[in-house]
Amino acid sequence: MKISTRGRYALRVMADLARNQRGEGYMPLKEIAQRQNLTVKYLEQIIALLTREGFLLSVRGIGGGYRLARPPYAYSVGEILRAAEGSLAPVACLVQDGPPCPRSAQCETLPVWQGLQKVIDDYLDGITLEQVCHENPCPR
């Protein structure tokens, strides 16, 4: 399993919004891009994905922008990465809704990969967005 730039940037954007969200206000895309040193064009793709997944709320026009749909403690790193990456499975035969592996019934190594998947899921699902912001606390 390798996390792509899309997954890494999605987590950075969510953490940025958690740290910099002003009450019920919305954060302009340009400000997020500047703080994260990302191009607005690439950030638009990440933001669109996070908005489609229901992680962000958006408003157009003056005073518009983006904000978290839930408080930072209500997001896990795992769910953010799965939204961006699709799957965090370490091997193809564990990808949900993927093609079934014809060897799974007699595969000696499948329990190894299932164990690794459990460790990955438990670890990433056990970290909240609020914890990611620990050094620069997220407002509640």
Side-chain angles (χ1 to χ4, degrees), residues 19-82:
R19 261 192 307 279
N20 296 294
Q21 193 163 286
R22 301 175 204 118
E24 297 296 313
Y26 288 80
M27 183 69 56
L29 187 67
K30 192 173 181 178
E31 285 183 29
I32 301 166
Q34 287 174 336
R35 278 194 303 272
Q36 292 301 314
N37 197 28
L38 298 172
T39 66
V40 170
K41 188 139 182 100
Y42 189 56
L43 187 56
E44 285 172 339
Q45 296 172 32
I46 305 283
I47 291 281
L49 170 82
L50 294 170
T51 303
R52 259 193 323 274
E53 292 293 322
F55 292 170
L56 301 178
L57 302 174
S58 66
V59 171
R60 293 180 183 257
I62 295 175
Y66 300 89
R67 65 178 303 245
L68 298 178
R70 307 186 309 243
Y73 62 81
Y75 294 93
S76 77
V77 169
E79 73 176 317
I80 295 166
L81 291 177
R82 279 186 210 91

Side-chain angles (χ1 to χ4, degrees), residues 11 14 17-18 33-34 41 47 60 73 82 85 88 102 106 111-112 118 136 138:
L11 185 56
M14 293 291 288
L17 283 166
Q34 287 174 336
K41 188 139 182 100
I47 291 281
R60 293 180 183 257
Y73 62 81
R82 279 186 210 91
E85 298 291 332
L88 300 177
Q106 66 267 19
V112 172
K118 181 170 177 14
N136 297 316
C138 301

Side-chain angles (χ1 to χ4, degrees), residues 93-114:
C93 62
L94 294 179
V95 174
Q96 270 191 327
D97 300 325
C101 177
R103 294 192 32 85
S104 64
Q106 66 267 19
C107 181
E108 307 168 325
T109 62
L110 184 59
V112 172
W113 307 128
Q114 290 170 328

